[in-house]
């Protein structure tokens, strides 16, 4: 189904981007991650629209991304997605749960902007933007255009940009955000993120995403 193609494809893109900026990345995982990013951005939109050659290419891209993050680990996009996926499930969403890949797609631009305050992470996000041929005369400009590309892909894949747009109830979100933030900070993926957020910072990120 198209929605599953979109969610799993953006999950793979998140795997690759987080692996590339991970604190334990290596030249081996960098090569895998960069090729996966190149392929996902090239093939996911047409795969979503049913092109079978693009779907075959996405299988390879997703495997490359998996090989990258299996060795380089991930970051707080996944920490947040793991914990919100558990918090906002079918019973609370009127028979709509928050798919993992969809959550990753929503969170990814916000986390890139948060992590880019770290110098090494900013250089690495800029590397990705340059590899993709995006414009920008500075790391800041390159990172802004990388986030814009992800937003554009989400539009093409009919993925919302915020949790509110997805349909998460505001009162329920506010009631759960403290617990989600605590759990996200403690998630296994947080340890290899470029920045180590406090609970307060994690709450601010979650509120921004809402």
């Amino acid at each position: 189904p198209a929605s599953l193609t979109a969610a799993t494809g953006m999950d793979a893109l998140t795997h690759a981007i987080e692996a590339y900026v991970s604190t334990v990345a290596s030249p081996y995982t960098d090569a895998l991650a960069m090729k996966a990013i190149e392929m996902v951005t090239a093939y996911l939109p047409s795969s979503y629209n049913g092109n079978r050659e693009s779907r075959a290419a996405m299988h390879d891209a997703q495997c490359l991304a998996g090989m990258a993050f299996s060795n380089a680990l991930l970051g707080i996009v996944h920490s947040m997605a793991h914990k919100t996926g558990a918090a906002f499930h079918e019973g609370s969403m009127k028979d709509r749960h928050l798919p993992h890949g969809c959550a990753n797609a929503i969170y990814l631009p916000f986390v890139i902007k948060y992590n880019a305050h770290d110098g090494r992470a900013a250089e690495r996000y800029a590397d990705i933007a340059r590899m993709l041929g995006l414009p920008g005369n500075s790391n800041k400009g390159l990172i802004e255009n990388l986030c814009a590309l992800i937003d554009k892909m989400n539009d093409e894949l009919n993925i919302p940009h915020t949790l509110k747009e997805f349909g998460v109830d505001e009162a329920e979100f506010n009631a759960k955000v403290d617990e989600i933030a605590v759990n996200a900070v403690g998630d296994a993926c947080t340890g290899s993120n470029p920045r180590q957020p406090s609970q307060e910072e994690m709450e601010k990120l979650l509120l921004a995403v809402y």
Side-chain angles (χ1 to χ4, degrees), residues 4-175:
L4 189 61
T5 301
T8 55
M10 290 305 289
D11 189 24
L13 182 63
T14 306
H15 288 158
I17 291 176
E18 290 209 293
Y20 190 74
V21 301
S22 163
T23 57
V24 293
S26 72
Y28 301 96
T29 60
D30 286 350
L32 293 163
M34 277 296 209
K35 187 62 180 179
I37 294 165
E38 177 189 349
M39 292 180 72
V40 172
T41 54
Y43 293 111
L44 180 54
S46 52
S47 174
Y48 174 77
N49 290 316
N51 182 287
R52 295 185 67 82
E53 288 75 20
S54 293
R55 289 193 166 202
M58 279 301 301
H59 281 290
D60 291 331
Q62 288 171 295
C63 185
L64 291 169
M67 292 165 70
F69 92 79
S70 293
N71 291 280
L73 307 180
L74 293 165
I76 61 170
V77 177
H78 271 79
S79 302
M80 296 163 72
H82 290 156
K83 304 316 178 188
T84 46
F88 303 116
H89 49 78
E90 291 185 11
S92 63
M93 294 285 290
K94 299 179 180 178
D95 297 325
R96 290 187 68 202
H97 74 289
L98 179 60
H100 173 70
C102 181
N104 281 336
I106 293 170
Y107 296 147
L108 184 57
F110 292 90
V111 171
I112 288 174
K113 291 169 187 174
Y114 171 79
N115 282 340
H117 290 278
D118 174 85
R120 174 185 171 277
E123 288 286 349
R124 293 204 144 229
Y125 289 130
D127 285 346
I128 293 169
R130 281 188 286 266
M131 182 273 294
L132 293 173
L134 298 176
N137 296 319
S138 65
N139 283 354
K140 182 179 179 182
L142 288 163
I143 292 165
E144 285 175 354
N145 284 316
L146 176 61
C147 291
L149 173 64
I150 295 165
D151 286 336
K152 179 176 179 286
M153 290 181 68
N154 283 340
D155 286 336
E156 292 174 346
L157 302 169
N158 290 306
I159 293 174
H161 294 282
T162 65
L163 294 177
K164 185 174 183 178
E165 188 181 334
F166 181 84
V168 174
D169 178 75
E170 186 171 3
E172 183 184 5
F173 175 82
N174 288 331

